[in-house]
Amino acid sequence: MKVNNPEKIFNKKIKISIDSKLTDYIQLALNENKEIQNVLIYFSKLKEQYQSNKINLSQLMDMVSRNSRTLMDKLVHKNNSKTDDSLKYLINVVQELFIYLDSSLFVKIKGNAVIAFANYIYSRQDIDLNVISKDQDNIIELTQIIKNQARTEYQILKAFLELIKSKMGLEITYNDKLLLLGYLLSLNINHIDNNCRALVLAHGYSTASSIADVVNQFLNKKIFDTYDMPLNVSINQIQDRIIQYMKNNDCSKGLVVLVDMVANDFAKID
């Protein structure tokens, strides 16, 4: 958008090679890049401390939450004075996505989260989050640990990232997931969970989703999760999906499954 307003970056000649990156030439992005990488390295060390029992799970979650929140606040503060049209557009896009998530997941996300997420995506486009292999492995494992403890926040994040990817084509890494998940933890999202889980399985492109969406909207509460089954889905595939659902959700108080199959066929599921 600023192609007609070239910015003077360096006073000396610069060399651009085939391996050059945009962040090699933008000092602000380099500063942000270093700051975010430092946070990720710190998270990697936290995971090692947790693994060696130097900190407990509660402390781990709290430190990831607080540091992610601090980082996001810094990004918002840095971009606060900008009037870039692309940032304004991002804020509108993120706001629309959160409105949709509020109505579909029945969670209330604070307005500040819209600004924070938009600023992160805005800054992320010029930032390289690569870290060394050891730290990357720790970050992947740490994301999984927090995901298992913060299922509501992860469900929100997963839905949001799927939407933002379809709208903008932005590729999301584990580093992004951990930072955004940590930020969502800091919001203390108000979510009322059901005592018993309920799942709709139906053949068709969006049959199950449509049924569940209507019921959830009428009751103003999330009751049903869904699985839109392809027409050629096998019994084993359905079984795998249900098992995966039970792993990802607390079904200790029961699971009701509504399915558009002959009872004898469904009974084959072990």
Side-chain angles (χ1 to χ4, degrees):
M1 290 184 179
K2 294 182 178 178
V3 68
N4 293 324
N5 298 302
E7 226 179 302
K8 190 172 183 181
I9 300 173
F10 291 117
N11 292 320
K12 59 182 180 180
K13 291 181 180 180
I14 59 173
K15 182 179 179 181
I16 299 177
S17 70
I18 195 171
D19 297 318
S20 296
K21 300 176 184 177
L22 180 62
T23 50
D24 295 336
Y25 310 106
I26 300 179
Q27 191 62 40
L28 177 62
L30 284 172
N31 291 338
E32 291 178 350
N33 189 66
K34 186 65 176 177
E35 194 167 11
I36 294 177
Q37 283 187 337
N38 286 340
V39 173
L40 291 171
I41 292 170
Y42 173 68
F43 285 167
S44 173
K45 292 177 180 177
L46 282 179
K47 186 264 176 184
E48 292 176 352
Q49 290 177 25
Y50 171 70
Q51 202 167 29
S52 60
N53 297 319
K54 292 180 180 178
I55 58 173
N56 59 36
L57 182 58
S58 177
Q59 291 171 319
L60 176 70
M61 301 275 285
D62 182 61
M63 288 185 225
V64 170
S65 171
R66 283 193 287 110
N67 281 274
S68 297
R69 180 62 178 264
T70 300
L71 176 64
M72 296 286 269
D73 288 344
K74 285 182 179 179
L75 291 179
V76 171
H77 179 71
K78 285 181 180 178
N79 295 330
N80 196 36
S81 59
K82 296 182 180 179
T83 57
D84 196 324
D85 288 337
S86 58
L87 179 55
K88 292 179 181 177
Y89 170 75
L90 273 174
I91 291 173
N92 288 332
V93 169
V94 172
Q95 189 169 34
E96 289 177 6
L97 296 182
F98 273 140
I99 289 173
Y100 172 76
L101 291 177
D102 281 351
S103 62
S104 61
L105 298 179
F106 297 93
V107 291
K108 294 300 177 185
I109 302 172
K110 297 176 182 178
N112 288 343
V114 173
I115 306 297
F117 268 67
N119 274 271
Y120 180 82
I121 295 169
Y122 176 84
S123 300
R124 176 66 177 86
Q125 297 174 88
D126 296 327
I127 290 175
D128 179 11
L129 294 186
N130 289 331
V131 293
I132 64 173
S133 298
K134 177 186 175 184
D135 289 327
Q136 190 62 67
D137 291 342
N138 283 338
I139 287 167
I140 292 172
E141 292 177 28
L142 179 56
T143 303
Q144 188 64 40
I145 292 170
I146 295 179
K147 168 188 169 183
N148 292 336
Q149 299 297 320
R151 296 193 184 279
T152 297
E153 287 80 2
Y154 186 77
Q155 186 179 18
I156 294 168
L157 178 61
K158 183 180 177 183
F160 174 80
L161 294 180
E162 287 174 355
L163 291 171
I164 204 71
K165 183 177 181 180
S166 66
K167 273 187 170 289
M168 300 185 62
L170 184 66
E171 290 297 328
I172 301 297
T173 67
Y174 271 97
N175 300 332
D176 296 308
K177 289 181 181 179
L178 181 56
L179 290 168
L180 293 174
L181 185 57
Y183 177 76
L184 284 174
L185 279 174
S186 73
L187 299 180
N188 297 315
I189 295 169
N190 183 24
H191 175 78
I192 301 175
D193 205 355
N194 300 313
N195 289 327
C196 178
R197 296 282 179 178
L199 180 63
V200 179
L201 288 80
H203 291 85
Y205 178 70
S206 63
T207 308
S209 295
S210 298
I211 294 170
D213 186 57
V214 170
V215 175
N216 291 341
Q217 292 290 342
F218 267 124
L219 298 176
N220 195 30
K221 184 178 182 182
K222 185 182 178 185
I223 302 295
F224 290 106
D225 289 309
T226 63
Y227 173 33
D228 294 307
M229 299 185 292
L231 296 178
N232 60 348
V233 68
S234 68
I235 292 294
N236 288 338
Q237 288 174 311
I238 298 173
Q239 174 175 285
D240 291 342
R241 179 57 68 95
I242 294 176
I243 291 173
Q244 189 61 45
Y245 177 84
M246 294 175 71
K247 287 180 178 178
N248 293 338
N249 297 275
D250 181 9
C251 298
S252 59
K253 296 184 179 179
L255 172 63
V256 176
V257 180
L258 302 183
V259 59
D260 67 341
M261 296 172 64
V262 178
N264 289 338
D265 289 336
F266 191 67
K268 296 175 184 178
I269 296 179
D270 185 6

